[in-house]
Amino acid sequence: MPKVKVIGAGLAGSEAAWQLACRGIEVELCDMKPESMSPAHHSGNFGELVCSNSLRGAGLENAPGLLKEELRRLGSLVMYAADRHRVAAGGALAVDRELFSREITEKLTSHSGITFTGGEVSAIPDSGDVIVATGPLTSGALAQDIIRFFGGEDTLSFYDAAAPIVDAATIDMNSAFFASRYNKGTADYINCPMTEDEYRIFWEALKDAKEAAVHGFEDKKVFEGCMPVEVMARRGYETLRYGPLKPVGLSDPRSSQPPFAVVQLRKDNREGTLYNLVGFQTHLTFGEQKRVFSMIPALRNADFVRYGVMHRNTYLNSPKLLGGFYEAKICPRVSFAGQMTGVEGYIESAASGLYAAAAMAGRLLGVAPFKLGSDTATGALAAYISGGAAGDFQPMNINFGIMTPLSIGAGKLKKRDKNLKISERALEALDKAILRAGLDIPQN
């Protein structure tokens, strides 16, 4: 029986292990937890969400929604757990992060084809098939060995941040209101409005607040898709109002007018006892987070059950190093998956693990490779990572811009209609690819 070692039990590694095991391949799943924990981790479960609990838009008019639907059709364990443990979040798919990771852990540990080995892995094995999915928090020893493995090719780095979480019972609802932007979906977000004077005071404090000490931190190294809120504040007075504090599409029921700025809070668990500050990834010291974020009127007396944290992330120069199935060009028995490849986002990480595992399973079982084109979200992401990036390679979320454009004449369509057509075409292409390859879809 073929055997694969999967290093890392985050979203990418968990998905890869599941896809392999469900195809009859013996899997050794290795993870440093619970023996060793990074600053961003809080439990020993697999598939832990360390930043937001949102898996982003749920509809097919947006690229993340399309990617999620593709993963469902491919038997994704991550999507199975997400759908089972979703919490209300308007038009987005958010999950109870504890129940979500517990579900993934239970499914993997109960599978007869998967064995788990705890403890840090410091080197890529010299033989055998391997998927390295240790994430952006890859330990120093393994990171150095990955550099050695690629013959000295430097890894790149960026910094990632996690948002604070507050106790819902301590939010001042006299200064807040429930609503979803443009009344899309149900009113699941707690909106904390600010007047122009309140915003100005908050902005002044935020841009000058003290950051935690992280060696080598520079604003220019912050990945734009997960930028700390204080970095945004330093970029200008209006930056936050066009970002996480934008008031567009919201109306304060007390005045029937849009607020000058608004902080949105989203459920972090199913019971709704915890809420996270949407877009408030931060690098501030814990004391400064309490001081500055308490200037938001609805949070003046809020209890912060978890403060935001900042940590150094690394990713590969994947267009030079990886092939179209996330395999190492110099040694195809070794594949990589997750954020260390340059995919950015929870669902993107799961997609890379699924696609890398499906390709490896095909090779080991002697069947034709399951190949997707850039007319699908899963295929487009793999193509971008393996060479579709032009110039300076940067981490990428799934978006319609990296997918094959529609034929001539589509420019007359409205954006929403255009996106829906791209999604319809993608799902049709995916279904055809599954049939063509005779792909065995895992049954969750």
Side-chain angles (χ1 to χ4, degrees), residues 340-378:
M340 70 184 312
T341 68
V343 299
E344 176 59 27
Y346 291 144
I347 294 302
E348 290 86 344
S349 293
S352 69
L354 185 152
Y355 198 48
M360 182 173 284
R363 175 173 60 80
L364 293 175
L365 297 173
V367 299
F370 174 62
K371 182 172 176 58
L372 295 172
S374 291
D375 52 353
T376 67
T378 304

Side-chain angles (χ1 to χ4, degrees), residues 294-306:
S294 293
M295 293 179 178
I296 300 166
L299 303 183
R300 59 171 63 91
N301 296 313
D303 288 340
F304 290 81
V305 299
R306 191 190 79 181

Side-chain angles (χ1 to χ4, degrees), residues 3 18 30 50 84 98-99 108 112 118 139 164 174 179 182 187 200 214 220 223-224 235-236 292-293 359 390 392 396:
K3 182 174 182 178
W18 182 253
C30 308
V50 299
R84 276 178 56 84
E98 182 179 349
L99 295 179
L108 292 174
S112 61
S139 68
N174 291 321
Y182 299 111
R200 182 179 294 106
V214 174
K220 66 182 181 181
F223 173 47
E224 297 287 337
R235 292 192 172 186
V292 177
F293 298 156
D392 184 25
M396 178 63 71

Side-chain angles (χ1 to χ4, degrees), residues 33-248:
K33 298 193 303 181
E35 282 78 3
S36 179
M37 303 279 281
S38 79
H41 291 126
H42 296 271
S43 81
N45 287 334
F46 304 156
E48 184 182 4
L49 305 184
V50 299
C51 183
S52 170
N53 72 321
S54 173
L55 304 184
R56 311 203 312 283
L60 291 178
E61 71 277 5
N62 62 72
L66 169 61
L67 184 59
K68 286 193 281 288
E69 181 57 27
E70 290 184 6
L71 293 182
R72 289 187 183 99
R73 297 188 184 198
L74 290 167
S76 165
L77 173 61
V78 167
M79 284 311 305
Y80 171 79
D83 289 334
R84 276 178 56 84
H85 301 293
R86 67 184 304 161
V87 297
L93 173 60
V95 304
D96 183 310
R97 71 177 77 209
E98 182 179 349
L99 295 179
F100 169 80
S101 61
R102 187 188 303 166
E103 177 83 38
I104 291 175
T105 304
E106 290 174 354
K107 294 285 281 188
L108 292 174
T109 54
S110 63
H111 196 292
S112 61
I114 300 173
T115 58
F116 176 69
T117 302
E120 183 178 336
V121 176
S122 59
I124 296 173
D126 293 329
S127 62
D129 294 279
V130 183
I131 295 180
V132 182
T134 46
L137 302 179
T138 298
S139 68
L142 182 56
Q144 288 301 311
D145 191 68
I146 291 172
I147 293 173
R148 175 205 61 78
F149 174 79
F150 282 114
E153 180 73 41
D154 290 339
T155 56
L156 307 176
S157 65
F158 67 97
Y159 289 82
D160 199 12
I165 296 174
V166 297
D167 181 345
T170 64
I171 300 168
D172 181 6
M173 292 305 299
N174 291 321
S175 301
F177 59 93
F178 279 96
S180 289
R181 205 177 299 276
Y182 299 111
N183 295 315
K184 185 176 180 181
T186 53
D188 300 319
Y189 290 80
I190 294 179
N191 298 275
C192 308
M194 304 175 79
T195 65
E196 185 170 1
D197 286 342
E198 290 166 343
Y199 174 78
R200 182 179 294 106
I201 293 170
F202 171 76
W203 174 75
E204 290 281 359
L206 181 59
K207 70 183 180 66
D208 296 327
K210 183 179 180 182
E211 295 177 334
V214 174
H215 179 68
F217 176 77
E218 297 174 351
D219 285 3
K220 66 182 181 181
K221 287 190 176 182
V222 178
F223 173 47
E224 297 287 337
C226 201
M227 185 182 297
V229 67
E230 63 274 9
V231 174
M232 282 188 273
R234 288 197 293 270
R235 292 192 172 186
Y237 180 72
E238 294 288 341
T239 303
L240 292 172
R241 295 185 66 244
Y242 284 90
L245 274 70
K246 66 181 178 183
V248 178

Side-chain angles (χ1 to χ4, degrees), residues 398-420:
I398 186 60
N399 61 84
F400 288 124
I402 65 173
M403 296 181 65
T404 304
L406 293 175
S407 59
I408 297 174
K412 298 178 181 179
L413 296 172
K414 292 182 179 180
K415 182 178 180 181
R416 177 185 174 85
D417 294 336
K418 182 179 179 180
N419 291 347
L420 284 172

